[in-house]
Each structure stands twice: as C-alpha cells, then as structure tokens.
Amino acid sequence: VIQGGAMPPPPPPPPTGGADPTCANGIKNGDACCAAACGTCGGAGCDARPGGSPSCCTSGVLMSGKSCDSNTAPCVIQGG
C-alpha cells in the first residue's frame, strides 16, 4: 500500500483496431500483408483484384511503407 504518495498512472490503453502487426486480418506473403478482399497476396493479375496493386500486389504493399505496427492491411509486417 502506498501511503502519502500519488498512485502511479494507469497503463496506456491497447490499440483499437488501428494496427495488425501479425497480419491476422489480412493475407500474409513474406513481409507484405495484403487486404483480405484481394483473395491472395501477390502473383499474376494482382493489380486486377479489388484494391489494385497497392492492396493486392506484394510490391505495391511494400512500396507503401505502411507499417502493420500502426496500420491495418495493406501494410508491411515489421520483422516478419
């Protein structure tokens, strides 16, 4: 019991859906996490899938530089 002192601050709240560091809600291909709507991540015809190259092609996802540590798919898995 702490007497005569202030209580320590509460821990910060957990992220609320703004991150997906393991690509749990997308489709993982290497370090790329494509949007689930793509069906697959990368490969022939990826640019014709819903979301196009930035969402469905590994090269497009990686070029975006969006980290999955602070974004949801499409994003780049850090240290994956």
Side-chain angles (χ1 to χ4, degrees):
V1 176
I2 301 173
Q3 293 182 349
M7 294 290 293
T16 55
D20 189 5
T22 60
C23 193
N25 297 305
I27 302 168
K28 185 176 177 179
N29 184 346
D31 290 339
C33 178
C34 295
C38 299
T40 59
C41 189
C46 60
D47 57 332
R49 297 187 196 122
S53 177
S55 294
C56 303
C57 296
T58 53
S59 60
V61 171
L62 296 174
M63 283 194 314
S64 77
K66 286 178 31 181
S67 169
C68 293
D69 288 345
S70 54
N71 296 278
T72 55
C75 55
V76 180
I77 301 165
Q78 302 299 308

